[in-house]
Amino acid sequence: MFKVVGLYKNFDEVKVLKNINLEINKGERIVIIGPSGSGKSTFLRCLNGLETVTKGKVYFENKDISKKDGRETLKKCGMVFQSFNLFENQTVLQNITLAPIKNKLFDKRIAKKKAMELLDKIHLKEKANVYPSDLSGGQKQRVAIIRALIMNPDVLLFDEPTSALDAEMIEEVLELMKEVAKTGMTMIVVTHELGFAKEFATRVIFMNEGKIIEDGAPDEIFNHPKTERLQTFLGKIKKV
Amino acid sequence: MADFLNSIGDKFYQSFIYDDRYLYFLDGLKYTIIIALFSALLGVIIGAIVALIRDYNKEHKRLLLLKKIADIYVYIIRGTPTLLQLMILYYVVFKSININVVIVGILTFGINSGAYVAEIIRAGFDSVGDGQREAAKTLGLSYFQMMKSVIFPQAIQKVFPALGNEAITLLKETSIAGYIGIVELIKASDIVSSRTYDYFFPLIISAVIYLFLTFLLSTIMKKVERRMKRYV
Ligand SMILES: Nc1ncnc2c1ncn2[C@@H]1O[C@H](COP(=O)(O)OP(=O)(O)O)[C@@H](O)[C@H]1O
Ligand SMILES: [Mg+2]
């Protein structure tokens, strides 16, 4: 699905990602953990072309994403952001149907029907015609998730999808993500919710200072951390 | 006292009624409105295009030449007096071309306003924030689909009051069109003054008309602004 080869990313003088090599296969659910500032967001954004890489290659479905046809296939890679990023001038329904209609995935009528079905699944049907400003954070994020889903993506990236939420709303978003996981969707999730990570992930990656330090099954990472840095990181999180 | 009122009444009569002099004001008003209206339209079109070129360049690092031209245009317009721009267009650019002077006026004020509108719209684009742009990108929307459906509507809504101010500024600025011989409102009152040897009433009449126009304009803008506030 994704293949990352010798990836470096600098912002001017700041070296953020240092030689990342990675292969991600279809159906994997990867959780990326690591201290803030370690380059997790930047890495996700390099995967879907929101950042241009400084050195190295990113392949998506065997296509180089720095090339035109690679960029085209990235339409099959959805993303969910920490700050939801719903279109504020569009109703919930319009938010969901805009991209599939413009991309000629479905015609208007079918897009609406699918959107309403999805809204029904997350129990927000009655919010179809309100603007995002009328939604709670948890509702916004769930709408953002189905907005990405309606595009029939092959993979979904999540960048701290619950970090901007009040505690009581975190669960509803994590639940929806688990629902999505049941469909076999490939998912790459940056999160600090370690409890969720343990039961959700098929693979966990620990990043620190722009490098992948550990990469393994949840059990290995959480119960048998090999490096001191991961041990320290897990220790810190547990105390919080 | 009666004499005083009589003389005031007479002066008003002389300035406005006698010899159908109100026609001068009406004619002047007509040109003021024509120039303001069409140059505002032109200004919005130029401003939007310039803002889009700069934005596209920022996002895609392309159209570098157009972007440089846009920057220079804004820099020159904002750095020189409008009167000078008017005179350059009239006496230099269109010197040897037979062109209606009103069109020269519309072009000048339109080109002038475009630079300010470009800056206003740019501020509007910036106010929308990168998050929604990134979401649009990851949903496979093209730059123009994103601008049309997401960024532009929000930007315009946010800067609408500033655009209203620019329209009022523009309306008032058209008063210098008299310099190149357009008989707009001020020039009209000037002509009447030269007939009556009285400046008071013609100028007061012009002032009242301008106040009415700007009042009308800001009322309309407020109405439209309120209608646009559907979300937030
Ligand atoms: N657009 C940017 N410009 C400059 N520096 C950036 C930019 N984005 C991220 N960085 C820097 O890159 C480093 C990693 O950031 P980020 O990828 O957001 O880390 P994380 O998501 O793990 O917290 C930080 O030091 C941050 O300041
Ligand atoms: Mg981050």
Side-chain angles (χ1 to χ4, degrees):
Chain A
M1 176 134 302
F2 274 111
K3 187 171 178 195
V4 180
V5 186
L7 169 62
Y8 289 79
K9 174 66 186 175
N10 306 345
F11 289 105
D12 299 318
E13 296 302 297
V14 190
K15 297 187 168 72
V16 176
L17 297 179
K18 303 159 194 164
N19 195 18
I20 304 271
N21 293 281
L22 190 67
E23 220 166 314
I24 294 167
N25 298 309
K26 194 166 160 37
E28 281 194 296
R29 291 190 298 280
I30 297 181
V31 166
I32 302 175
I33 57 173
S36 124
S38 57
K40 306 180 297 296
S41 297
T42 306
F43 175 60
L44 278 194
R45 296 162 57 82
C46 284
L47 286 181
N48 69 355
L50 283 180
E51 303 287 355
T52 44
V53 308
T54 307
K55 205 174 125 197
K57 290 280 179 205
V58 176
Y59 299 93
F60 178 55
E61 322 261 33
N62 297 318
K63 295 212 169 71
D64 182 346
I65 68 160
S66 65
K67 304 268 160 60
K68 195 162 191 273
D69 62 335
R71 271 197 298 277
E72 197 58 31
T73 49
L74 274 178
K75 283 189 178 174
K76 285 283 173 190
C77 172
M79 182 157 185
V80 174
F81 300 85
Q82 179 175 349
S83 50
F84 329 127
N85 299 349
L86 294 180
F87 306 136
E88 286 167 26
N89 63 323
Q90 314 232 342
T91 64
V92 166
L93 185 62
Q94 289 167 337
N95 259 281
I96 302 165
T97 57
L98 178 72
I101 292 172
K102 295 277 184 195
N103 280 297
K104 304 205 162 49
L105 224 56
F106 326 109
D107 71 28
K108 253 191 183 144
R109 201 176 49 83
I110 296 178
K112 262 191 191 166
K113 192 166 152 276
K114 290 205 178 250
M116 290 309 289
E117 283 167 13
L118 285 166
L119 277 172
D120 196 27
K121 270 195 195 141
I122 61 169
H123 310 295
L124 286 178
K125 216 172 163 182
E126 74 284 2
K127 298 282 187 187
N129 294 312
V130 308
Y131 287 93
S133 53
D134 283 339
L135 299 180
S136 71
Q139 292 172 334
K140 281 183 195 169
Q141 195 61 299
R142 288 187 288 138
V143 169
I145 291 172
I146 62 171
R147 178 177 71 172
L149 274 179
I150 199 171
M151 295 295 289
N152 284 327
D154 291 338
V155 54
L156 277 180
L157 313 181
F158 294 76
D159 191 2
E160 302 201 23
T162 58
S163 294
L165 297 177
D166 293 336
E168 73 269 19
M169 292 171 188
I170 291 176
E171 206 48 44
E172 66 189 56
V173 171
L174 296 180
E175 279 307 315
L176 176 56
M177 288 170 66
K178 287 181 210 160
E179 285 296 313
V180 176
K182 280 186 197 151
T183 67
M185 177 73 68
T186 312
M187 296 161 86
I188 306 172
V189 182
V190 173
T191 184
H192 295 296
E193 298 290 332
L194 298 193
F196 164 79
K198 272 176 206 166
E199 64 172 304
F200 168 87
T202 58
R203 179 177 165 194
V204 180
I205 290 172
F206 171 60
M207 280 182 72
N208 193 32
E209 294 176 358
K211 289 187 192 140
I212 293 178
I213 306 293
E214 293 201 31
D215 178 348
D219 178 58
E220 287 176 57
I221 300 288
F222 293 119
N223 302 329
H224 312 285
K226 291 191 205 71
T227 58
E228 209 185 306
R229 267 179 289 191
L230 177 53
Q231 285 158 13
T232 322
F233 174 74
L234 291 174
K236 266 189 202 143
I237 292 241
K238 272 185 195 124
K239 268 185 225 130
V240 173
Chain B
M1 189 65 193
D3 270 5
F4 177 69
L5 284 179
N6 257 344
S7 112
I8 284 195
D10 185 52
K11 280 199 168 145
F12 180 76
Y13 178 81
Q14 286 288 328
S15 296
F16 205 62
I17 314 285
Y18 178 74
D19 205 14
D20 287 344
R21 282 184 179 142
Y22 63 90
L23 286 179
Y24 283 104
F25 291 99
L26 274 184
D27 238 32
L29 176 63
K30 187 180 85 186
Y31 282 113
T32 292
I33 289 178
I34 286 175
I35 295 173
L37 204 64
F38 284 100
S39 57
L41 205 65
L42 183 61
V44 167
I45 292 169
I46 294 176
I49 292 173
V50 167
L52 275 174
I53 289 172
R54 290 167 140 191
D55 187 81
Y56 188 84
N57 170 268
K58 198 167 95 185
E59 186 132 351
H60 294 261
K61 313 278 172 255
R62 273 187 280 168
L63 301 183
L64 189 66
L65 182 68
L66 275 177
K67 190 254 179 192
K68 281 262 168 354
I69 294 171
D71 285 350
I72 292 168
Y73 155 74
V74 172
Y75 182 75
I76 290 176
I77 295 295
R78 301 214 309 164
T80 55
T82 315
L83 180 56
L84 192 66
Q85 295 160 15
L86 182 69
M87 292 168 93
I88 288 175
L89 238 65
Y90 183 67
Y91 291 113
V92 182
V93 177
F94 291 115
K95 183 179 189 286
S96 50
I97 304 167
N98 193 3
I99 185 171
N100 187 326
V101 69
V102 175
I103 292 178
V104 177
I106 289 172
L107 284 176
T108 304
F109 294 112
I111 291 169
N112 176 274
S113 184
Y116 294 92
V117 172
E119 294 286 288
I120 292 171
I121 293 182
R122 190 220 319 241
F125 287 167
D126 289 349
S127 75
V128 179
D130 290 339
Q132 293 183 57
R133 285 179 187 247
E134 292 182 347
K137 262 185 248 170
T138 61
L139 288 165
L141 295 176
S142 72
Y143 176 80
F144 285 100
Q145 286 167 345
M146 168 185 86
M147 291 312 278
K148 176 172 163 274
S149 303
V150 180
I151 309 296
F152 218 90
Q154 291 180 63
I156 292 298
Q157 201 232 12
K158 288 207 172 107
V159 299
F160 201 73
L163 287 175
N165 282 339
E166 171 57 22
I168 287 172
T169 304
L170 177 63
L171 173 70
K172 291 184 295 184
E173 213 160 43
T174 59
S175 61
I176 62 173
Y179 270 92
I180 60 167
I182 299 173
V183 186
E184 43 64 65
L185 207 43
I186 304 276
K187 190 76 184 169
S189 81
D190 215 27
I191 290 172
V192 171
S193 303
S194 67
R195 302 272 155 86
T196 59
Y197 303 106
D198 170 40
Y199 278 93
F200 184 75
F201 271 109
L203 290 178
I204 289 295
I205 290 165
S206 297
V208 169
I209 295 175
Y210 268 113
L211 281 172
F212 174 71
L213 288 178
T214 50
F215 169 76
L216 200 67
L217 195 54
S218 55
T219 309
I220 292 171
M221 296 303 266
K222 277 206 188 90
K223 276 242 166 70
V224 178
E225 197 188 329
R226 226 170 291 140
R227 294 193 85 176
M228 288 201 315
K229 284 248 160 77
R230 278 177 306 143
Y231 46 95
V232 306

